[in-house]
Amino acid sequence: MALAAVPGDGGATQGILRRQALRESAARTYARALPIVPVRARGMTVEGADGRRYLDCLSGAGALALGHNHPVVLDAIRAVLDSEAPLQVLDLATPVKDAFTDELFATLPPGLASRARVQFCGPAGTDAVEAALKLVRTATGRDGLLAFSGAYHGMTAGALAASGGAPADGVMAAGAAAAGVTRLPFPYDYRCPFGVGGERGAELAAHWAEKLLDAPKGGAPHPAGMILEPVQGEGGVIPAPDGWLRRMREITAARSIPLIVDEVQTGVGRTGAFWAVDHSGVEPDVMVLSKAIGGGLPLAVVVYREDLDVWPPGAHAGTFRGNQLAMAAGAATLAHVRQNNLAERAATVGGRMLERLRRFAAGRPQIGDVRGRGLMIGVELVAPEAGFATGAGVAPTGAGPVANPDHEEAPGGTTPYEASPYEVSPGEVSPYEVSPGEVSPYEASPGGTAPCADAMRTAAPPAAPALAAAVQQECLRRGLIVELGGRHGAVIRLLPPLTITDEQTEAVLDRLTDALDASIRTAGTHSRELPPTAAPFVPPSTGDHR
């Protein structure tokens, strides 16, 4: 703590960073791109050992729903410490654990809460994923798993196998081979795997999953479960359309396949609802929860239907599943978010941020897409000079949201899922199948255009990870901490705390847009120059924005 009392100590900062680089594993991540040494933090503000202050839009990778050192969290921790209660109790019953469980159940989807069991796991979300996979395999007696492209569920073997990719590709491949995972397409509107985007792309993704499960030789024997994220975080901040998510619930329920929803990053108000599944009304069979539920301290649980609770004592255990400080901090966080309607505020503030960023993106072709839900926002950067041209009738995604993004029912009509687009009449050819030698309607002929190009979206330009890395560094120079993610590391990710103020919101947007313009200008010799209509940078307000 002596270091924290030395403002402007740049020499100490460099010494710590140098020693970290020499001593720590090559697997370290954030420290490579964010060369800061935090010594104080409060709310959204982090102060480094060199005296510089930053607005933190990383929030411990989403673990800090209330920001750093929120008073209700600190008071809850102090109360446990002052009570002389044991800090680690394995899975013994305690008043602190009972209070946390009560608060957690009060927030769950009602249908699940009324018949739920909770398993306290090791303190990381990846261990809760492992527990969920073990649970459904035990309950069903089956081994296979349905997972999605672009997913991220953790870094242990089973979680890696369910993920769509990871930095350790060799480890990922070994885990996936052992786990019997069948990969399904996730609706990614900007880079639709079927080349159409929008409602049609989501329909095709749902159709693919359904037909694969029902095909006698589809390669996906009756699985033990399906695991998905309602918003893919590490995959690039890609919200699952509500209609598609409901369709996944229907498909799994009709085939007695437990649906596991990974709310590790999306939970506790992050997306504008307490749990991201609340947007769609889906009640999963299993929910995997971690990050924010511990109030910034390590805690992870699995909540599931009571009829799945068939595994024997000790089937999943962990020494640190009785973390009393985390349970106290978590109960205080859950209660504060619920009682102060912070999920609703996240929806409002996030909507404002998306609107301003989409306006800013107009005329800047390097910003391919702006998307998100609540205070989980992604800005995907691209290389437009690679020959991308917007197709006829398809607006640049950055210019605004696509129509009807959640696939809700049209006034007086039916949803695309209720209209049964998946079935064909007897003797009719499925629109998704092609005869031998025939060209698929979603593929272009060699040297030509797709047969149904009018229904297709022009391919998005290549991702620009180098530009994204430059933006991250320009943000840091302006006192803003952001994270990168996405399939190619080209998505700027914003995860501010739910307690972000209006002043802080404007400061974040000012600094981010200025960093984007600076990076685009620097890259101007290799891409298009900034358009003359681009808005000038407005300096952020002074103060610490706490």
Side-chain angles (χ1 to χ4, degrees):
M1 294 302 296
L3 179 63
V6 184
D9 193 350
T13 297
Q14 293 305 312
I16 291 172
L17 292 173
R18 186 166 52 252
R19 287 189 292 276
Q20 181 188 39
L22 290 172
R23 295 169 175 171
E24 283 202 34
S25 164
R28 65 195 176 98
T29 55
Y30 296 105
R32 294 178 183 274
L34 302 172
I36 60 177
V37 178
V39 293
R40 295 188 188 91
R42 182 181 177 187
M44 195 175 176
T45 302
V46 172
E47 183 176 337
D50 58 0
R52 291 198 64 194
R53 287 177 173 174
Y54 304 85
L55 290 176
D56 182 9
C57 274
L58 178 56
S59 300
L64 301 170
L66 304 182
H68 297 274
N69 293 319
H70 193 282
V72 303
V73 173
L74 296 182
D75 288 347
I77 292 172
R78 290 190 186 103
V80 175
L81 294 174
D82 292 344
S83 72
E84 298 185 356
L87 300 184
Q88 287 291 346
V89 294
L90 301 173
D91 65 352
L92 298 177
T94 71
V96 173
K97 183 178 185 178
D98 192 49
F100 170 81
T101 304
D102 281 348
E103 188 58 48
L104 175 64
F105 274 49
T107 69
L108 294 174
L112 179 61
S114 65
R115 50 183 181 143
R117 294 288 185 269
V118 60
Q119 166 74 27
F120 288 83
C121 304
T126 190
D127 188 64
V129 170
E130 298 286 352
L133 301 182
K134 189 184 299 180
L135 170 72
V136 297
R137 284 170 173 148
T138 302
T140 64
R142 303 189 291 264
D143 292 326
L145 182 69
L146 301 173
F148 289 87
S149 58
Y152 177 77
H153 298 291
M155 294 299 292
T156 50
L160 267 178
S163 298
D169 287 330
V171 176
M172 165 65 190
V181 174
T182 299
R183 197 80 55 201
L184 300 173
F186 191 87
Y188 183 177
D189 184 55
Y190 185 62
R191 298 187 186 277
C192 176
F194 300 100
V196 294
E199 292 184 4
R200 186 59 166 165
E203 288 175 26
L204 290 170
H207 169 81
W208 181 286
E210 186 173 31
K211 294 306 180 186
L212 185 69
L213 287 172
D214 293 343
K217 294 186 178 182
H222 204 189
M226 172 188 286
I227 185 168
L228 59 81
E229 299 160 276
V231 180
Q232 288 194 344
E234 303 300 324
V237 192
I238 306 171
D242 288 342
W244 176 87
L245 191 55
R246 287 191 287 269
R247 187 68 188 132
M248 293 302 101
R249 173 68 287 185
E250 294 168 4
I251 289 171
T252 53
R255 294 159 180 80
S256 299
I257 301 171
L259 176 62
I260 306 167
V261 173
D262 181 342
E263 291 253 17
V264 168
Q265 190 167 102
T266 56
V268 194
R270 169 62 56 190
T271 68
F274 207 98
W275 306 107
V277 291
D278 293 340
H279 292 290
S280 62
V282 164
E283 290 186 352
D285 303 301
V286 183
M287 291 178 69
V288 179
L289 313 175
S290 188
K291 289 191 185 289
I293 67 163
L297 298 181
L299 186 64
V301 303
V302 180
V303 178
Y304 52 91
R305 290 192 343 250
E306 60 186 357
D307 59 288
L308 296 173
D309 196 32
V310 297
W311 47 3
H316 195 83
T319 300
F320 294 104
R321 64 192 187 277
N323 188 338
Q324 298 294 281
L325 293 182
M327 292 177 190
T333 297
L334 294 172
H336 190 79
V337 171
R338 178 174 57 83
Q339 294 166 2
N340 291 276
N341 301 315
L342 293 188
E344 290 83 352
R345 174 163 173 76
T348 300
V349 175
R352 290 207 308 264
M353 295 179 78
L354 283 172
E355 181 182 4
R356 179 170 162 187
L357 287 170
R358 283 169 174 154
R359 288 201 310 268
F360 176 82
R364 291 173 172 85
Q366 295 85 355
I367 303 176
D369 195 21
V370 176
R371 56 181 178 260
R373 201 156 203 179
L375 288 174
M376 195 170 179
I377 295 172
V379 179
E380 182 164 350
L381 303 182
V382 298
E385 69 277 7
F388 171 74
T390 302
V394 180
T397 315
V402 295
N404 200 16
D406 294 333
H407 314 296
E408 299 292 347
E409 181 176 339
T414 59
T415 70
Y417 304 102
E418 291 166 349
S420 299
Y422 317 108
E423 302 298 335
V424 296
S425 302
E428 182 184 351
V429 178
S430 166
Y432 309 107
E433 302 295 337
V434 295
S435 304
E438 182 185 352
V439 178
S440 165
Y442 306 107
E443 299 294 337
S445 304
T449 58
C452 61
D454 58 329
M456 291 189 67
R457 170 172 301 189
T458 303
L467 179 59
V471 171
Q472 185 184 45
Q473 293 308 303
E474 291 292 342
C475 284
L476 198 63
R477 292 188 186 98
R478 289 157 176 76
L480 177 63
I481 298 172
V482 298
E483 186 177 11
L484 302 183
R487 308 294 208 272
H488 305 283
V491 178
I492 306 295
R493 299 180 59 207
L494 301 179
L495 293 166
L498 310 188
T499 53
I500 186 173
T501 66
D502 291 342
E503 180 189 17
Q504 289 170 338
T505 300
E506 293 306 309
V508 166
L509 293 170
D510 288 339
R511 297 179 192 189
L512 174 59
T513 53
D514 184 51
L516 283 162
D517 272 352
S519 301
I520 292 171
R521 285 193 186 96
T522 301
T525 56
H526 306 291
S527 63
R528 302 177 189 177
E529 295 292 342
L530 201 64
T533 56
F537 169 58
V538 180
S541 305
T542 58
D544 63 4
H545 304 292
R546 289 187 176 177

